[in-house]
Amino acid sequence: MTGSTFCGTPAIAAIFSAFMFASSVHAASADQIKALETRLRALEAKEEIRELFNRYAFTADTGDAKGWSEVWAEDAVYESSAVTIRGREAFFKSAADPNGTHLKDIVGKGSLHTTGPLTIRVDGSRAWAEGHTLVWVRQEQGYEIFALSYSHWDLRKTAGRWEIKRRVSRPVAPGHADLVFKAWRTVD
């Protein structure tokens, strides 16, 4: 038989072509799946980081000094134009001090911490975020802004959870944005 037999050359060529096509489709699919897995991990990390900022705000607003201090790394640093705080224990003390600004002037009056919108970039177990922060405090006739700042955060994932390693913030004022917002310029 000619042309259509399994053992004939055209049939072997067709099977070989089909095999090569299937192999290239399989390889492309594996690459596509790997790319999708990478993108999914980055999206999951960004969502975990957004939830970290929500915990930051909720624990700050409820006066949960222990919870608030735990969003910070053990060796974290917070640098603002008014204060520098170093280490998780110092974060706890600043939030728990009954005579401190946090309990007296913020939580004691009723507060709302907000962060965002944020630009977040993730690189494995490290990330950074940049955006605005706003703290509202209740007054007799409504609310007023207690703090409005530009913020940059360096984050890391340790023992399966994201934590803040470093925060730099400056109050919203002429020239301050350029002091803080630097990483976003590298975003493609």
Side-chain angles (χ1 to χ4, degrees):
M1 293 180 128
T2 60
S4 63
T5 65
F6 181 77
C7 294
T9 305
I12 292 174
I15 291 171
F16 180 74
S17 293
F19 174 75
M20 292 305 292
F21 176 75
S23 294
S24 67
V25 168
H26 178 70
S29 294
D31 290 343
Q32 289 172 335
I33 289 170
K34 185 173 182 169
L36 287 171
E37 287 173 342
T38 300
R39 290 177 62 196
L40 179 60
R41 276 193 297 278
L43 289 171
E44 288 174 335
K46 287 179 180 184
E47 187 59 24
E48 291 170 1
I49 290 167
R50 283 187 185 90
E51 289 186 12
L52 171 72
F53 286 118
N54 285 340
R55 269 194 322 279
Y56 175 104
F58 297 160
T59 55
D61 290 334
T62 61
D64 178 359
K66 183 177 185 312
W68 185 72
S69 68
E70 289 175 350
V71 302
W72 298 90
E74 196 66 46
D75 58 346
V77 176
Y78 171 46
E79 176 198 327
S80 74
S81 55
V83 67
T84 298
I85 302 172
R86 296 180 187 280
R88 187 178 287 156
E89 184 62 28
F91 286 98
F92 175 81
K93 287 178 182 177
S94 73
D97 181 358
N99 298 312
T101 300
H102 184 73
L103 286 181
K104 256 182 24 188
D105 299 331
I106 301 173
V107 175
K109 293 182 177 181
S111 64
L112 175 69
H113 286 69
T114 60
T115 302
L118 292 171
T119 298
I120 301 171
R121 290 299 181 265
V122 177
D123 183 12
S125 62
R126 296 180 330 158
W128 60 261
E130 288 184 337
H132 306 94
T133 54
L134 175 61
V135 179
W136 294 92
V137 175
R138 185 173 179 81
Q139 299 299 325
E140 290 180 22
Q141 299 298 319
Y143 293 85
E144 72 177 32
I145 296 172
F146 182 86
L148 178 61
S149 59
Y150 306 113
S151 294
H152 171 94
W153 294 268
D154 292 318
L155 308 135
R156 71 176 175 211
K157 193 169 191 174
T158 304
R161 71 177 192 84
W162 287 97
E163 56 190 14
I164 301 168
K165 170 74 173 138
R166 180 173 171 258
R167 177 182 174 195
V168 175
S169 72
R170 294 292 181 271
V172 172
H176 285 188
D178 283 339
L179 297 174
V180 178
F181 294 154
K182 296 178 181 181
W184 70 272
R185 291 187 170 114
T186 65
V187 174
D188 43 32

